[in-house]
Amino acid sequence: MEIIKELPEVFEEFAEARKNSFLTMKQLKDQGKPVVGAYCTYFPREIAMAAGAVTVGLCSVSPETIPDAEKDLPKNLCPLIKSSYGFAKTDKCPYFYFSDVVVGETTCDGKKKMYEYMSEFKDVVCMQLPQNQNEDSLALWKKEVIKLKEHLEEKFEVEITDEKLREAAKLNNQVNASLKKLYGLMKNDPAPIKGLDMFHVLYGSGFKFDRKAIIDEVDALAEKIKKEYEAGKMEEKKPRILLTGCPVGGATEKVIKAIEDNGAIMVVMENCTGAKQMEHMVDVESDDMVEAIAQRYLNIGCSVMSPNPNRYKLLGELIDEYNVDGVIEMTLTACHTYNVESFGIRKFVNEKKGIPYMAVETDYSQSDVGQLNTRVGAFIEML
């Protein structure tokens, strides 16, 4: 990416990355590059990288194939599951089509049944994710990571050595560090850019398959934003919102737009696309790289964990560091873990951090955009 490009052009590039990289993916496949697709931040990416594979996120963010999915799945199921299954079943997702292996995880009952059905037409590895983060769970999760490692070794006829894992972990740590440095610029008040633009960079970086190139692009972008900020180019001072909850992207960008169209700015996301994904690093000095990788991913504070102290810890840190005025939690219809945990998050935000909280429940349709704007606008006005 050329540094001389204007920021809007750069943001647009990242926003279009998911669509534009279909061709890149085909070229990689034509070159014989193996591809591993995944649906969750618990996917231990370093294992696939050490096998010489390209990794890509498969979660679908469009209502387009939900009617196809509902021929097999219940209508009162999470839209992310229905959309993802629909795109896989109808072969409308190029990334799913090009994936040699799809890695799933038992983060919820709906997803694990989805993987069961997907395995009828795709090579699926479903990792059994423990539901808490103690030493016994680490031992179980390490075994699952080893199973994935052995499956990829056999599938791609490679040996995944400790050294390859260490190199993959070093590279992925660098990528995460660069992304953290970039979104850390939003700690400035006023914010340097719109939250939606920052989201597009974070989300779009997942569809750039040269991991080393991501570091250079993101570092250059961070430097450009920093220089423009120092020169006085920034957003107006507005109420600062932290967004938490279910994965955001595609259809659910409407929540970010509702925040920023109604006079506030989303300064940080705790969701899978945001801080949650980049927060933890692999200990590359470990003598047991498989365990170090397993530990890094098991530390993620998703609502599937019970208890879930790591989510509260990260939320508290982000609220303080980003000088947050209010928290908005977006949950998807029928996402039971996040919907149930919202009670605890509300108490934490209101009572422990002393700031306002609002929960919004939505799906992939656009029918509630007006209602979202009304509710979010009222919340922001209160701030």
Side-chain angles (χ1 to χ4, degrees):
M1 181 173 57
E2 298 173 35
I3 191 114
I4 56 170
K5 288 184 180 176
E6 293 297 313
L7 283 180
E9 290 180 83
V10 179
F11 296 142
E12 187 63 28
E13 278 186 9
F14 276 95
E16 294 293 313
R18 191 170 188 267
K19 283 192 284 186
N20 296 342
S21 54
F22 290 159
L23 183 59
T24 306
M25 175 65 77
K26 184 182 184 305
Q27 291 168 346
L28 290 168
K29 286 295 294 178
D30 289 343
Q31 295 164 15
K33 195 81 171 172
V35 177
V36 177
Y39 285 93
C40 188
T41 49
Y42 284 110
F43 163 58
R45 186 194 298 267
E46 291 82 359
I47 304 296
M49 290 168 64
V54 169
T55 61
V56 64
L58 298 177
C59 277
S60 299
V61 291
S62 159
E64 181 186 340
T65 61
I66 286 178
D68 294 294
E70 287 177 345
K71 292 174 184 175
D72 298 350
L73 303 178
K75 289 188 176 183
N76 62 342
L77 189 62
C78 158
L80 186 151
I81 297 172
K82 289 191 291 185
S83 178
S84 298
Y85 179 78
F87 272 98
K89 177 191 169 188
T90 59
D91 229 3
K92 288 184 177 179
C93 174
Y95 297 127
F96 186 90
Y97 174 81
F98 286 125
S99 293
D100 299 291
V101 179
V102 168
V103 179
E105 69 312 304
T106 54
T107 43
C108 77
D109 292 341
K111 283 178 84 175
K112 71 185 183 188
K113 298 308 287 187
M114 175 182 78
Y115 300 132
E116 185 181 322
Y117 296 146
M118 273 184 184
S119 66
E120 295 174 10
F121 51 86
K122 199 73 172 180
D123 183 3
V124 176
V125 178
C126 185
M127 302 179 73
Q128 302 297 312
L129 180 71
Q131 304 294 281
N132 55 44
Q133 296 160 320
N134 57 31
E135 287 186 18
D136 290 340
S137 293
L138 176 59
L140 291 170
W141 184 234
K142 181 181 175 182
K143 287 181 181 178
E144 292 299 304
V145 175
I146 291 170
K147 284 180 190 175
L148 174 64
K149 172 178 171 287
E150 291 173 346
H151 185 92
L152 297 186
E153 285 178 321
E154 183 179 349
K155 178 82 174 183
F156 302 136
E157 298 180 347
V158 296
E159 183 186 0
I160 300 175
T161 63
D162 258 21
E163 193 50 42
K164 287 179 181 177
L165 290 172
R166 201 179 311 278
E167 289 306 308
K170 285 179 181 176
L171 176 56
N172 215 40
N173 281 357
Q174 286 180 294
V175 172
N176 287 333
S178 287
L179 290 168
K180 280 184 73 174
K181 180 182 171 185
L182 176 69
Y183 71 72
L185 293 172
M186 298 296 280
K187 293 176 185 177
N188 286 299
D189 190 5
I193 61 173
K194 292 186 182 300
L196 187 60
D197 287 331
M198 182 62 75
F199 164 75
H200 283 152
V201 175
L202 298 178
Y203 185 69
S205 65
F207 298 94
K208 290 176 176 283
F209 305 124
D210 183 342
R211 302 294 286 173
K212 289 180 182 175
I214 292 173
I215 299 166
D216 294 336
E217 286 190 32
V218 169
D219 285 351
L221 177 57
E223 190 60 31
K224 188 170 180 63
I225 293 171
K226 186 179 175 185
K227 283 182 178 176
E228 292 202 2
Y229 191 80
E230 289 169 353
K233 189 174 180 181
M234 60 190 70
E235 292 296 303
E236 295 175 21
K237 192 168 175 62
K238 301 172 183 176
R240 299 167 64 82
I241 302 295
L242 179 149
L243 183 63
T244 184
C246 291
V248 179
T252 50
E253 286 182 31
K254 61 187 175 182
V255 178
I256 303 175
K257 289 175 182 173
I259 291 168
E260 302 203 332
D261 287 349
N262 285 282
I265 190 151
M266 185 195 75
V267 290
V268 65
M269 295 174 65
E270 182 267 345
N271 317 58
C272 302
T273 323
K276 183 184 296 179
Q277 182 175 215
M278 275 74 79
E279 180 64 19
H280 304 285
M281 303 291 177
V282 175
D283 178 8
V284 294
E285 304 300 324
S286 173
D287 294 329
D288 186 341
M289 284 308 300
V290 171
E291 182 165 308
I293 290 167
Q295 181 71 74
R296 180 258 188 244
Y297 286 91
L298 192 64
N299 283 340
I300 293 170
C302 176
S303 65
V304 299
M305 294 295 169
S306 184
N308 188 17
N310 289 355
R311 184 181 180 201
Y312 291 90
K313 179 176 181 291
L314 179 57
L315 276 172
E317 290 170 355
L318 295 175
I319 287 168
D320 292 343
E321 291 173 13
Y322 288 79
N323 193 24
V324 169
D325 297 309
V327 172
I328 293 179
E329 178 158 26
M330 185 212 78
T331 58
L332 292 170
T333 306
C335 181
H336 300 313
T337 56
Y338 272 103
N339 277 312
V340 172
E341 192 165 272
S342 64
F343 171 70
I345 297 299
R346 179 189 296 274
K347 284 180 65 179
F348 174 77
V349 172
N350 287 164
E351 297 173 13
K352 293 285 176 64
K353 305 310 293 182
I355 60 174
Y357 164 99
M358 182 178 73
V360 294
E361 186 178 334
T362 189
D363 58 18
Y364 284 178
S365 77
Q366 296 301 302
S367 61
D368 63 346
V369 168
Q371 183 189 46
L372 266 176
N373 275 290
T374 300
R375 289 195 62 213
V376 170
F379 178 77
I380 290 166
E381 195 173 315
M382 179 188 70
L383 299 178

